[in-house]
Amino acid sequence: MNLKKLVFLAFFGYAILPGSSVLAQHNELSFQLTPHWLSSLKLDEPSQIAQGKDQFAGLGGLSYAHFTNSGLGLRAGFNLGYFRPKLIVNRNPGNGLSDQLLGSVVMYNSLSIEPVYRFKWVRSEFEFFGGADLRYFHSNGYTSYGYHYQSTIPSEFSTFEISVPPYQNKFQSNIYGGISYIKSINSKNRIGISVISNLGLSKPGGGQFTATANNGNTFQTNFKPVTDFTGIRIQYGYNVRKNEKTIEPSDGLIRQAIFLEALGSGGLFSLNYDRRLKSGNDGFGVRVGLGLGTGYEINEDEFKRRVSVPIMVNYIFGSGRNGLETGIGITPEYAVSKPRDDQRMNAWGNLNVLYRFQPVKKGFIMRMGWTPVIGREGSLNPYFAGVSFGYSFTK
């Protein structure tokens, strides 16, 4: 039994013990982001020509949890994640000339379920959690990435390529665990910072790496991603009250909001203005924003920076603090810098289905949910989500 499994068993045994104080029974809706470092991919034939490199990956999603008075809870969630194979390749192993080679981005969705134990200790609130998720990997077909160097040295490798066939087994399982520090903003809102590590994931597939020298010599090996990781989970939780009374505003003022959105409809990040078309939190509204994004091509030296302008019409169901936001719109973009013959101007359509927390008059606003993209050919890409934080006011 390795060290990770021993640590996991120790924390899980401690988690079932009574805490120093108990918490009130409640239900909690959460949004979480989990940036993490992924272990290096493994080559079947390691050599000085190519080595796997640790890589940055990400995971984010929505979850819903029920907690009992004892602090025990059960959390279920839906997540979207990605990672990207990365190799360090050496043109001339003897002289140490090396570069990075990136494969295609691997996207996946997952359904997760995790037992949770939340407790108070020394005036602070903590949480142990451990769970499992079922991941579905998206592979659109055979992919090939590489580059070529012009070299006059016959023995120096000049052509490098990663080839990945479609995944045969798209469903994979994962086991993970972690510990969180919980900070209560008020009786309704909480922020959690967690250290999380997985304890084993079946491999999603593999590929082949090929390096060719000018004299015809070729080095070739298969590789498999290793998706063991350690990272940080940042989680926002909202205590959902079962019998919240709807508050109908009677001041006749128009609700407005300014919010910063991560991912979602405007690119990597966007700053947005939202306005209701009538008094109250519900009904029709409009949104316009300014977004920034970066798109990588074959390697980190070939990318484009883009500016986007999300424009949307939305409708909110629910006149109280909690509502369901639906919307449709278009996002034109302009590439400030671009590689090769890529288009300077582009646009895509957007759909929104989000949970929205907005005060009745003014204060903190939060949005999170599903933001699928519609391509120019009419194709729907459902693997997008977003989260927003901002300030709501009246005028």
Side-chain angles (χ1 to χ4, degrees):
M1 182 177 293
N2 59 33
L3 180 59
K4 276 189 173 183
K5 292 183 178 179
L6 287 173
V7 172
F8 178 72
L9 291 175
F11 110 76
F12 213 76
Y14 178 74
I16 64 175
L17 296 176
S20 58
S21 63
V22 296
L23 306 171
Q25 178 176 335
H26 69 282
N27 298 324
E28 191 170 286
L29 181 67
S30 301
F31 173 80
Q32 60 268 352
L33 289 173
T34 309
H36 53 272
W37 284 104
L38 214 57
S39 299
S40 305
L41 57 81
K42 288 189 176 180
L43 302 174
D44 290 352
E45 298 180 28
S47 74
Q48 292 184 338
I49 300 171
Q51 296 89 35
K53 181 176 176 60
D54 291 351
Q55 55 193 291
F56 182 78
L59 180 68
L62 297 169
S63 62
Y64 188 82
H66 174 73
F67 288 89
T68 65
N69 292 330
S70 65
L72 292 173
L74 187 65
R75 180 184 291 130
F78 174 78
N79 308 282
L80 172 66
Y82 79 95
F83 63 90
R84 192 172 192 181
K86 181 183 292 187
L87 285 173
I88 295 296
V89 296
N90 299 304
R91 284 181 275 158
N92 192 324
N95 295 333
L97 299 174
S98 62
D99 297 279
Q100 292 188 16
L101 178 60
L102 302 175
S104 58
V105 174
V106 179
M107 304 288 293
Y108 63 89
N109 294 108
S110 72
L111 295 174
S112 60
I113 185 167
E114 54 188 52
V116 184
Y117 179 59
R118 187 172 289 178
F119 62 98
K120 291 184 177 180
W121 182 63
V122 193
R123 297 183 181 180
S124 297
E125 193 171 343
F126 297 90
E127 174 185 288
F128 285 114
F129 62 90
D133 63 27
L134 179 65
R135 299 184 176 187
Y136 177 80
F137 288 86
H138 307 284
S139 179
N140 296 325
Y142 188 90
T143 58
S144 179
Y145 284 76
Y147 57 85
H148 177 78
Y149 279 106
Q150 296 293 332
S151 176
T152 59
I153 303 176
S155 61
E156 186 174 80
F157 288 94
S158 58
T159 302
F160 304 93
E161 183 180 41
I162 289 179
S163 302
V164 182
Y167 291 156
Q168 298 299 316
N169 184 9
K170 294 188 175 183
F171 287 97
Q172 305 292 334
S173 58
N174 179 43
I175 304 293
Y176 60 91
I179 183 172
S180 308
Y181 169 73
I182 310 295
K183 175 65 176 178
S184 294
I185 302 174
N186 50 42
S187 62
K188 300 287 290 182
N189 300 278
R190 295 181 176 89
I191 298 292
I193 305 294
S194 313
V195 177
I196 181 172
S197 181
N198 78 327
L199 305 174
L201 172 72
S202 48
K203 307 303 182 290
Q208 188 176 79
F209 167 73
T210 303
T212 305
N214 292 339
N215 59 12
N217 290 338
T218 298
F219 172 77
Q220 189 175 80
T221 180
N222 295 325
F223 66 83
K224 288 185 179 296
V226 178
T227 44
D228 296 335
F229 71 85
T230 299
I232 296 174
R233 176 193 282 183
I234 305 170
Q235 186 174 47
Y236 166 78
Y238 179 77
N239 186 358
V240 181
R241 290 185 294 187
K242 294 182 179 180
N243 299 317
E244 180 183 18
K245 294 182 179 179
T246 300
I247 303 175
E248 296 289 349
S250 57
D251 52 17
L253 298 177
I254 299 298
R255 270 64 185 168
Q256 302 173 73
I258 296 176
F259 58 84
L260 180 67
E261 183 177 60
L263 302 178
S265 304
L268 188 60
F269 293 101
S270 62
L271 182 64
N272 300 268
Y273 169 76
D274 179 279
R275 179 186 177 94
R276 299 294 92 210
L277 298 183
K278 69 175 185 66
S279 176
N281 280 354
D282 60 342
F284 281 101
V286 293
R287 163 198 170 180
V288 63
L290 180 65
L292 299 174
T294 300
Y296 287 99
E297 297 299 317
I298 292 176
N299 56 55
E300 294 180 356
D301 295 325
E302 295 193 40
F303 62 90
K304 65 177 180 182
R305 294 188 179 94
R306 54 179 181 252
V307 177
S308 60
V309 182
I311 305 170
M312 303 197 72
V313 175
N314 52 41
Y315 188 92
I316 298 176
F317 298 90
S319 58
R321 295 181 177 88
N322 301 289
L324 176 68
E325 177 184 329
T326 61
I328 186 170
I330 186 171
T331 301
E333 73 165 11
Y334 176 78
V336 180
S337 63
K338 65 183 183 68
R340 298 180 181 177
D341 299 324
D342 203 353
Q343 293 180 342
R344 183 73 70 176
M345 297 292 297
N346 198 1
W348 65 86
N350 298 290
L351 298 175
N352 279 356
V353 181
L354 307 111
Y355 165 74
R356 179 168 175 143
F357 171 80
Q358 181 170 324
V360 175
K361 291 188 177 181
K362 62 181 180 178
F364 173 76
I365 181 175
M366 187 271 295
R367 305 160 63 254
M368 58 183 177
W370 185 45
T371 60
V373 171
I374 304 174
R376 289 191 298 177
E377 299 81 12
S379 59
L380 178 67
N381 189 339
Y383 312 116
F384 285 88
V387 61
S388 308
F389 300 98
Y391 183 78
S392 174
F393 56 96
T394 60
K395 185 177 180 180

